[in-house]
Amino acid sequence: MSDSSLPQRPLEQTAFDEWPDAVRALFDGSSLASKTGFTASLLTVDANQHIRTSLLGAGELYAPDSRTLCIALWPQARAARAIAQSGRAALSFVLEEAFYQVQLLVAPLPPADGDDSGLVYMSCTIDSGETQSVRYARLTSGITFELEEGAEKVLDRWERQIEQLKRAAALGG
């Protein structure tokens, strides 16, 4: 049974291989005081195949061009060790009411002359990127959102989905 009042394609996805202008502006290294609330999740896979998340702020992310993101991590961070082993990471964040997830290829960068911060620097190239948004909800920050008009119908649909998930889990386990 379908709900004809919902859009036919509620999920909107856009692929990219270069930073959109709004992301470039966010990661341009300027006006950091105005970007202090921004947080991105850096996802890595460690040697035990566990997914790890490191939270990064605007002061740890810099996009020098349309396909690159440089990151600064503490050398003892699990993410730094995992990236050193795999050369890969994913970055996810919310910006302008859309969810971004970017697959990154990562290589070490040498520290700048005179740098005694102790940080490890890495250069990430976009392998693939994607934005996602839905018409029935507006992402407000992080993974928090508000339901828009028609919330009751969305909640009803979620109830049905959860029931289906419960049934599927009971059959599978």
Side-chain angles (χ1 to χ4, degrees), residues 59-143:
E60 299 160 311
L61 304 164
Y62 172 64
D65 60 52
S66 64
R67 293 190 40 84
T68 306
L69 181 68
C70 297
I71 59 175
L73 298 171
W74 292 107
Q76 66 271 25
R78 293 183 295 196
R81 292 190 304 268
I83 290 170
Q85 293 173 342
S86 71
R88 298 190 62 88
L91 189 75
S92 62
F93 55 91
V94 170
L95 182 65
E96 296 186 333
E97 302 180 0
F99 175 76
Y100 285 75
Q101 186 161 51
V102 187
Q103 302 297 318
L104 300 168
L105 303 174
V106 186
L109 285 172
D113 288 338
D115 179 7
D116 61 356
S117 68
L119 294 171
V120 173
Y121 301 105
M122 300 180 185
S123 176
C124 308
T125 303
I126 298 173
D127 185 30
S128 65
E130 180 179 271
T131 64
Q132 296 179 12
S133 60
V134 292
R135 293 183 188 137
Y136 60 83
R138 182 174 57 88
L139 288 172
T140 58
S141 66
I143 52 175

